[in-house]
Amino acid sequence: MAPVRVLIVGAGSRGSAYAAWIREHPRIARVVAVAEPRPAYRDRLADACGVPPEARFADWREAAALPRTADAALVCTLDDAHLEPVLAFAASGHHLMVEKPLAQTRADCEAIVEAARRAGVLLGVGHVLRHAPYTRLVRSLLDAGRIGTVTGIDHVEPVGFWHQAHSYVRGNWRRTDEAAPMLLAKSCHDLDWIRHVVGREPTAVSSFGSLRHFRPEQAPPGAAERCTECPVEPDCAYSAPRIYGRFLEQGATGWPLDVLTPEPTAESVAEALRTGPYGRCVYHCDNDVVDRQVVALEFGGGATGTFTMTAFSRAGHRRTTVFGTGGELHCDGESVTVDDFLAGTTETFKPEAADSAGAGHGGGDGGLLSAFFAGVAAGDPELVETGGEDALRSHLLVFAAERARLERRVVELPERTEQTEETEGSWHR
């Protein structure tokens, strides 16, 4: 089959990462157009993929107004800019891969899923964790009955102190009115992963969390508005020059440095810290998303679950324990250990090696794109494992959990639409 022709909408970190995978798999897909308002980011991706000048668009609307030249559009814009391009490209017959989260509200998520259904196009959602070899290993062990019936799961996402500061205090996802609540922006695919692993739908949810640390009243005495001007910066764990300087020292000029500047060097990064948002003091930003949150779940059949997201950790792999009637699975992101109650044995398994060209998220990036492009090439929605309808159920779980946190109560599932719309609207007022 001919390679799937791809339009990249949004040439930031995710769009660029997906484009890099496509370049490494020319028999599967090729980038034929890119839409991105920032010239440096647009041309960087387009040059790398050989996109001609006439297929480089400053606004996705320019691409949508022309006759269709791509088979699929990968929508990798910021969270608040998914709905309009998805509706336009679905109507023009493009198959769609939409970066998570689908949208900021239940109504918009449902509108995206309905638009794809009505247009008869495939819709994939960027829940990359499902597609990692590690996840396939966990599911295979559970499906084989290695721990009996699943009775519970405990899943921890250690966001990491510097990642929290980068993305959720200084960065694009720092405010619910501009992006989304932390649980939706960062952790919607963790709740999706929990659903996937347990294999049952949740019936009730509660949640607690708040913004505790990254607030003006927590600032050290004498802290300035910007790290480059701060007398206490050398003693601050969240020092921007130290955090980003470590990446420069390692020669790692991709994410997160390429978020600060399209061509990271010592000079360009220093200038970005002097003048841009990523050099601000973490105690004097305009952020409002939580810095830790816990979610408690009850599933059909009586299984229970907990999810913890915390900024106050070293960045690292997610950690999970799955409890069963006959044993436990201990999962550290690199291996899975089975404790067998009857045999009294402990056995450790390693997942298959991920394609090095798609190693993002433990191979999940490559797995996601492979499945999506296979579905597009064959015209078979069954090959798109994380399709719109299934992903919507995970998003609805997130909305319910955030509602439970805000209202400090248990929310029974499924919820009534009119109740959720009132709460979600408050995120953006």
Side-chain angles (χ1 to χ4, degrees), residues 114-382:
E114 173 59 20
R117 186 201 63 78
R118 187 171 58 249
V121 299
L122 301 187
L123 172 61
V125 182
H127 285 312
V128 293
L129 297 185
R130 280 201 190 195
H131 296 268
Y134 171 80
T135 302
R136 290 197 293 270
L137 172 60
V138 172
R139 276 298 304 262
S140 69
L141 292 168
L142 294 175
D143 291 344
R146 292 298 303 268
I147 64 168
T149 301
V150 172
T151 61
I153 186 169
D154 179 26
H155 183 65
V156 178
E157 181 182 17
V159 176
F161 71 98
W162 69 262
H163 187 184
Q164 182 82 18
H166 171 74
S167 294
Y168 307 100
V169 179
R170 295 174 170 127
N172 292 325
W173 293 274
R174 68 190 183 278
R175 294 186 59 84
T176 56
D177 59 351
E178 294 181 3
M182 182 75 176
L183 195 65
L184 182 63
K186 180 70 177 80
S187 303
C188 65
H189 57 187
D190 286 279
L191 293 185
D192 176 80
W193 191 87
I194 291 171
R195 278 186 59 239
H196 179 65
V197 167
V198 173
R200 293 178 179 269
E201 293 299 328
T203 57
V205 61
S206 63
S207 182
F208 301 92
S210 63
L211 173 59
R212 179 186 183 278
H213 185 66
F214 301 104
R215 306 166 63 99
E217 58 267 30
Q218 298 294 333
E225 296 285 328
R226 188 168 287 277
C227 289
T228 54
E229 304 164 355
C230 183
V232 300
E233 176 271 327
D235 299 316
C236 180
Y238 302 97
S239 159
R242 181 184 303 111
I243 288 172
Y244 298 115
R246 287 171 176 166
F247 286 97
L248 281 172
E249 291 169 1
Q250 297 165 7
T253 56
W255 185 89
L257 292 185
D258 62 0
V259 178
L260 279 65
T261 173
E263 299 294 339
T265 64
E267 293 74 19
S268 65
V269 169
E271 177 62 19
L273 297 185
R274 282 193 297 270
T275 62
Y278 294 95
R280 293 180 296 174
C281 172
V282 293
Y283 303 104
H284 295 298
C285 291
D286 59 341
N287 56 301
D288 66 2
V289 299
V290 302
D291 50 24
R292 74 272 182 275
Q293 186 167 354
V294 63
V295 177
L297 299 158
E298 183 178 59
F299 294 88
T304 58
T306 59
F307 167 66
T308 298
M309 179 285 301
T310 180
F312 307 107
S313 63
R314 296 174 61 185
H317 294 301
R318 292 158 168 89
R319 302 186 294 269
T320 312
T321 301
V322 186
F323 307 98
T325 54
E328 287 181 302
L329 290 187
H330 302 281
C331 317
D332 63 8
E334 295 184 355
S335 63
V336 181
T337 298
V338 178
D339 286 335
D340 187 306
F341 297 161
L342 177 62
T345 57
T346 298
E347 191 174 3
T348 298
F349 299 85
K350 291 277 191 180
E352 63 187 48
D355 176 2
S356 60
H361 294 95
D365 288 5
L368 174 82
L369 294 175
S370 292
F372 175 69
F373 291 136
V376 170
D380 185 355
E382 294 298 320

